Amino acid sequence: MTGNPRPTRGDYVVWRQATTRWADDDVYGHMNNARYFELIDTAVNVHLAEAVGGDIRQLPAIGVVAEVSCRYFREVGYPEPIDMGLVVDHIGNSSVVYRIGLFQGDGDEAAAEGRFVHVYIDNESRSVVQIPQQIRDAVSPLRR
Amino acid sequence: MTGNPRPTRGDYVVWRQATTRWADDDVYGHMNNARYFELIDTAVNVHLAEAVGGDIRQLPAIGVVAEVSCRYFREVGYPEPIDMGLVVDHIGNSSVVYRIGLFQGDGDEAAAEGRFVHVYIDNESRSVVQIPQQIRDAVSPLRR
Amino acid sequence: MTGNPRPTRGDYVVWRQATTRWADDDVYGHMNNARYFELIDTAVNVHLAEAVGGDIRQLPAIGVVAEVSCRYFREVGYPEPIDMGLVVDHIGNSSVVYRIGLFQGDGDEAAAEGRFVHVYIDNESRSVVQIPQQIRDAVSPLRR
Amino acid sequence: MTGNPRPTRGDYVVWRQATTRWADDDVYGHMNNARYFELIDTAVNVHLAEAVGGDIRQLPAIGVVAEVSCRYFREVGYPEPIDMGLVVDHIGNSSVVYRIGLFQGDGDEAAAEGRFVHVYIDNESRSVVQIPQQIRDAVSPLRR
């Protein structure tokens, strides 16, 4: 649809695994498109929490989602787990752009790819601020 | 982020309203990014079901989501309802591209805008097929 | 299963309506059992918020769910809305027991009935406390 | 609340693990009560699918949820995984009653316990039928 090639496992830097749930599948017997974003969101936040070593929700600046998208190449669904590969495309002054590849089973080609844009805002005033240094240190190793 | 201007109510053709749920809000006290896609998805499918006048899930060709995205401009959340405006950007041979504006409260500017790409596949073989005529008739009036 | 008769519309005191979502239906084409609890939860919390006239999540004592259940009598699902009737069965020192009837369409018999037990805890210490007077005033009129 | 003692790990027969998701937590920073039922549901269905060795959704008789409940003892939430213990309390002619203990971290006491009642219905007529022999064989070893 977009002309971008279908991503493969080698495109990603770090990996997580998520279990699937019966309720993930909609009436068509595959994972509902909204559910993918629960996984995409988790892949990013788990990495940040582990790399920062604390509760990122308590930092003075929090990452809010400015834009997110997903391209779907092949059906996935309950009951097998999903492998999630994470790579950072861009680190700006106040935003980070991630791509998250979702895989189910052994194939090398992604079943779906999410693109996720975090913008950092002050936890109280909600105005846009610079990426906290702890976050910058956590995402820099995810560039390729 | 994308350079596209923030959409307003006048950009959309038909409207639906969705109630929000306590569980829509995540730990930040606003609607979780994945939840928007439950609304976007519903706005499209309710229109199709009503315009076609039957259960679109039983048609020989079904629309599966090839790509979806959302830009977030302003927080929304429980408990107020969400107004969803729908417009069709493109009708191809086998795909339809929708934009869905989400509004909460009286403002004229969208709180978020989704972009939703349906591709039609055969309900059994799952190969890409032409848009069924009933669907084409249902979406043509949504162009501006 | 429990010997309790199937409830009817006359069993409830106040009413709310919730819209359904495409993603509510699971692979069996009906609302997934977990989704009912999103509606049950919302019926209670919307009533409290409106009766209290403010954000109940900011009160010094918050209601947390100690126990919840649902009996399913008839399938419901997307796309029709759900009518939710609310009644209070019991008001204790620190807990409130609600029943929530879910109806879809015109029938007099509930499609499902939830039972929902809120226990009040201090928002900071998380120890059990007395029901705040504002909440007590909000739920007393829901007794039959 | 019910007088039943708080269950411990030794009360359950088989175990599964589920990952948690960022969106599982609601505004109170703990797993929303409805989300537990996504895990409870999955614990039962994954066991059945593996024990039966096929897609239980395609059997002539399917298990639909007649009644479900959960008692909450301690908060759980994102990001740690959840251990789910499964035990069968009752096997009738057409129904199976499960209890599912949810644990997070090392403690021996359950954070929550679900009770889940499946009733078997004909996949087409939706009338109540006897438990299929394959299902009976799959759940009998879960009795204590």
Side-chain angles (χ1 to χ4, degrees):
Chain A
M1 205 100 239
T2 64
N4 292 334
R6 187 164 160 188
T8 57
R9 290 182 185 263
D11 292 322
Y12 305 99
V13 178
V14 293
W15 292 86
R16 300 279 161 191
Q17 193 174 69
T19 57
T20 51
R21 302 176 184 179
W22 171 276
D24 288 338
D25 284 9
D26 65 17
V27 70
Y28 289 146
H30 59 206
M31 185 175 285
N32 177 263
N33 71 86
R35 290 290 191 149
Y36 286 74
F37 292 96
E38 296 187 3
L39 302 182
I40 288 167
D41 189 319
T42 300
V44 171
N45 282 299
V46 167
H47 175 77
L48 292 179
E50 291 198 3
V52 168
D55 189 346
I56 56 170
R57 299 177 288 194
Q58 308 299 331
L59 292 181
I62 60 174
V64 292
V65 184
E67 188 175 341
V68 69
S69 62
C70 190
R71 296 183 295 147
Y72 305 92
F73 306 111
R74 190 176 69 73
E75 297 178 302
V76 300
Y78 164 88
E80 299 304 324
I82 306 280
D83 293 314
M84 308 185 292
L86 192 59
V87 64
V88 163
D89 260 5
H90 179 74
I91 304 174
N93 277 326
S94 58
S95 68
V96 183
V97 181
Y98 302 86
R99 282 187 295 115
I100 302 95
L102 303 182
F103 300 77
Q104 191 173 44
D106 287 334
D108 190 48
E109 293 192 310
E113 188 184 65
R115 184 176 173 275
F116 184 94
V117 182
H118 250 166
V119 170
Y120 281 84
I121 63 168
D122 185 274
N123 208 342
E124 306 239 319
S125 73
R126 304 246 157 170
S127 57
V128 174
V129 295
Q130 289 224 332
I131 302 169
Q133 190 59 43
Q134 292 156 288
I135 297 291
R136 193 173 287 277
D137 293 344
V139 298
S140 295
L142 300 187
R143 301 206 60 161
R144 297 193 72 234
Chain B
M1 204 99 240
T2 64
N4 292 335
R6 187 165 159 189
T8 57
R9 289 183 187 263
D11 291 323
Y12 305 99
V13 178
V14 293
W15 292 85
R16 301 279 159 191
Q17 194 174 67
T19 58
T20 50
R21 302 176 184 179
W22 171 275
D24 288 338
D25 284 10
D26 65 17
V27 71
Y28 289 146
H30 59 206
M31 185 175 286
N32 177 262
N33 72 85
R35 290 290 191 150
Y36 288 72
F37 292 96
E38 295 187 4
L39 302 182
I40 289 168
D41 187 321
T42 300
V44 171
N45 281 300
V46 167
H47 174 77
L48 292 179
E50 291 198 4
V52 166
D55 189 347
I56 55 170
R57 300 177 286 193
Q58 307 300 331
L59 292 181
I62 60 174
V64 292
V65 184
E67 189 175 341
V68 69
S69 63
C70 190
R71 296 183 295 147
Y72 305 91
F73 307 112
R74 190 177 69 73
E75 296 177 303
V76 299
Y78 163 88
E80 300 303 323
I82 306 279
D83 293 313
M84 308 185 292
L86 191 59
V87 64
V88 163
D89 261 5
H90 178 75
I91 305 174
N93 277 326
S94 58
S95 68
V96 183
V97 181
Y98 302 86
R99 283 187 295 114
I100 301 95
L102 303 182
F103 299 78
Q104 191 174 44
D106 287 335
D108 189 49
E109 291 192 311
E113 187 183 67
R115 183 175 173 276
F116 184 94
V117 182
H118 250 165
V119 169
Y120 281 85
I121 62 168
D122 185 273
N123 208 341
E124 306 240 318
S125 72
R126 305 250 156 168
S127 57
V128 174
V129 295
Q130 290 222 333
I131 302 169
Q133 190 59 43
Q134 291 156 289
I135 298 291
R136 194 173 287 275
D137 293 343
V139 297
S140 295
L142 300 187
R143 302 206 60 162
R144 297 193 71 237
Chain C
M1 206 99 242
T2 65
N4 292 335
R6 188 166 158 187
T8 57
R9 290 184 186 262
D11 292 323
Y12 305 99
V13 178
V14 294
W15 292 86
R16 300 279 160 193
Q17 195 174 69
T19 57
T20 51
R21 302 176 184 178
W22 170 277
D24 289 337
D25 284 9
D26 65 17
V27 70
Y28 290 146
H30 59 206
M31 185 176 284
N32 177 262
N33 72 86
R35 289 290 190 151
Y36 287 73
F37 293 97
E38 295 186 3
L39 302 182
I40 288 167
D41 188 319
T42 300
V44 171
N45 282 300
V46 167
H47 174 77
L48 292 178
E50 291 198 3
V52 167
D55 188 346
I56 55 171
R57 299 177 286 194
Q58 307 300 331
L59 292 181
I62 60 173
V64 291
V65 184
E67 188 176 340
V68 69
S69 63
C70 190
R71 297 183 295 146
Y72 305 90
F73 306 112
R74 190 176 69 74
E75 296 176 303
V76 300
Y78 163 88
E80 300 302 324
I82 306 280
D83 293 314
M84 308 185 291
L86 191 59
V87 63
V88 163
D89 261 5
H90 178 74
I91 305 174
N93 277 327
S94 57
S95 68
V96 184
V97 181
Y98 303 85
R99 283 187 295 115
I100 301 94
L102 303 183
F103 299 77
Q104 191 174 43
D106 287 334
D108 190 48
E109 292 192 309
E113 187 183 66
R115 184 176 173 276
F116 185 93
V117 183
H118 250 165
V119 169
Y120 281 84
I121 63 167
D122 186 274
N123 208 340
E124 305 240 319
S125 73
R126 305 250 156 167
S127 57
V128 174
V129 295
Q130 289 223 333
I131 302 169
Q133 190 59 42
Q134 292 156 288
I135 298 290
R136 193 173 288 277
D137 293 343
V139 297
S140 296
L142 300 187
R143 302 206 59 161
R144 297 195 70 236
Chain D
M1 205 97 240
T2 63
N4 293 334
R6 186 164 160 188
T8 57
R9 289 182 185 263
D11 293 321
Y12 305 98
V13 178
V14 293
W15 293 85
R16 301 279 162 191
Q17 194 174 67
T19 57
T20 52
R21 302 177 184 178
W22 171 276
D24 288 338
D25 284 9
D26 65 18
V27 70
Y28 289 146
H30 59 206
M31 185 176 285
N32 176 262
N33 72 87
R35 290 289 192 151
Y36 287 73
F37 292 97
E38 295 186 3
L39 302 182
I40 289 168
D41 188 320
T42 300
V44 171
N45 281 300
V46 166
H47 175 77
L48 291 179
E50 291 198 3
V52 167
D55 188 347
I56 55 170
R57 299 177 287 194
Q58 307 299 331
L59 291 181
I62 60 174
V64 292
V65 184
E67 188 175 339
V68 69
S69 63
C70 190
R71 296 184 295 147
Y72 305 91
F73 307 112
R74 191 176 68 73
E75 297 177 303
V76 300
Y78 164 89
E80 299 304 323
I82 307 280
D83 292 314
M84 308 185 291
L86 191 59
V87 63
V88 163
D89 261 4
H90 178 75
I91 305 174
N93 277 325
S94 58
S95 68
V96 183
V97 181
Y98 302 85
R99 282 188 296 116
I100 301 94
L102 303 182
F103 300 78
Q104 191 173 45
D106 287 334
D108 190 48
E109 293 192 310
E113 187 183 66
R115 184 175 173 276
F116 184 93
V117 183
H118 250 166
V119 170
Y120 281 84
I121 63 168
D122 185 273
N123 208 340
E124 305 240 317
S125 72
R126 304 246 156 170
S127 57
V128 174
V129 295
Q130 289 223 332
I131 302 168
Q133 190 59 43
Q134 291 156 290
I135 298 292
R136 193 173 288 275
D137 293 343
V139 297
S140 296
L142 300 187
R143 302 206 61 161
R144 297 193 71 234

